Amino acid sequence: IEENMVNFLLKNIKNDSIPQFNIFAGDMIEGSVPDSIVCQFLNFVQPDLTSPIDFLFNHNDVDFRLLMSNVKCDSVPILERYIIEADSMKIGIFAIYTPDWTVKNNLPEFVEFDFNVFDLTREIALDLAATTDFVILLSNLSKYIDSDLVRSLPIDIAVSFDYQKTQNQKLNNRKTSYFSILTNQGKYGKLRLQYSKDRISYKWQERVFGVKK
């Protein structure tokens, strides 16, 4: 019902005149809805990337970019990783799903899931770090597993789309910053990256998803 408003807000959010990249992750639509509705919404709104947990491959009319690094499917195109190029920066991004997601949902047989998340994360993170300036992990795992997952890996930021809201903080490796996308109703997470003097600084903010009156 509100897809027109969501589409309008995405197109009109002001971002200090810097390039903006919109990523949708987690539940796309509140409540249990068929895949056809999820696809209709994402096809219309057209985020730059999406990592949904309520799209279960029961519908193949996909006109949006799926980022699911440990999921494979012959009938629906899925990206394992993505590189965002903006100004002088290259930002590598990938998304790891929890094995619990396959247990809770009855995925079709043609969907392949890689349960070896630690080895796969290491492989992708090292590869992206060699070709990009900054590496972001989208994680559907719990915060405790994320902390072990990124240990000794060149991952700058882990953004969680786990179902549980947890505190934003530095993880135990003292390098990776951890942010949860779950916020109070009506807000969205905004990560601003700035490149200056061969160094990337960043700031995480939670903004109201709406228009100023």
Side-chain angles (χ1 to χ4, degrees):
I1 295 174
E2 297 179 349
E3 63 183 16
N4 283 300
M5 178 56 70
V6 173
N7 187 55
F8 171 80
L9 293 173
L10 282 179
K11 300 295 187 297
N12 290 277
I13 289 174
K14 301 301 181 184
N15 201 13
D16 303 325
S17 301
I18 63 175
Q20 179 165 298
F21 197 90
N22 294 306
I23 303 172
F24 283 15
D27 275 316
M28 298 297 104
I29 299 178
E30 185 177 9
S32 179
V33 297
D35 273 9
S36 58
I37 301 299
V38 176
C39 286
Q40 176 184 324
F41 170 70
L42 291 173
N43 284 337
F44 181 77
V45 175
Q46 285 289 308
D48 295 296
L49 281 179
T50 180
S51 297
I53 59 174
D54 52 355
F55 172 69
L56 304 176
F57 297 91
N58 296 311
H59 193 76
N60 59 7
D61 182 19
V62 173
D63 191 28
F64 48 89
R65 290 190 287 203
L66 277 170
L67 181 67
M68 299 176 163
S69 300
N70 56 332
V71 180
K72 293 182 180 180
C73 176
D74 291 336
S75 60
V76 176
I78 302 175
L79 297 172
E80 182 192 60
R81 66 193 72 185
Y82 190 83
I83 296 178
I84 305 168
E85 297 191 41
D87 298 329
S88 301
M89 292 185 292
K90 286 187 178 181
I91 302 102
I93 183 168
F94 65 112
I96 296 293
Y97 279 62
T98 174
D100 291 348
W101 181 66
T102 67
V103 175
K104 294 178 181 178
N105 301 289
N106 186 23
L107 299 179
E109 292 183 356
F110 54 81
V111 178
E112 298 180 20
F113 189 90
D114 189 342
F115 291 88
N116 199 349
V117 295
F118 279 84
D119 286 348
L120 181 63
T121 299
R122 172 174 290 278
E123 175 188 337
I124 297 176
L126 292 176
D127 189 41
L128 285 176
T131 56
T132 65
D133 306 298
F134 204 80
V135 178
I136 299 173
L137 164 67
L138 300 180
S139 175
N140 184 226
L141 301 160
S142 71
K143 183 176 184 178
Y144 300 104
I145 298 178
D146 286 336
S147 185
D148 289 335
L149 195 67
V150 304
R151 194 184 306 274
S152 76
L153 292 181
I155 295 175
D156 298 285
I157 289 178
V159 180
S160 172
F161 61 104
D162 182 29
Y163 71 94
Q164 186 174 0
K165 171 68 176 177
T166 49
Q167 182 180 0
N168 298 334
Q169 64 182 81
K170 285 276 189 182
L171 292 179
N172 291 337
N173 64 2
R174 298 183 180 179
K175 170 181 170 58
T176 306
S177 293
Y178 175 93
F179 303 111
S180 173
I181 67 166
L182 293 183
T183 67
N184 293 328
Q185 186 175 8
K187 292 186 177 181
Y188 68 98
K190 174 183 174 182
L191 176 66
R192 176 171 178 168
L193 302 179
Q194 185 171 358
Y195 184 83
S196 177
K197 297 180 181 179
D198 297 326
R199 181 179 177 273
I200 296 177
S201 59
Y202 58 88
K203 179 188 298 184
W204 177 266
Q205 300 171 320
E206 293 179 3
R207 295 290 185 87
V208 175
F209 190 68
V211 291
K212 293 182 179 180
K213 294 182 180 180

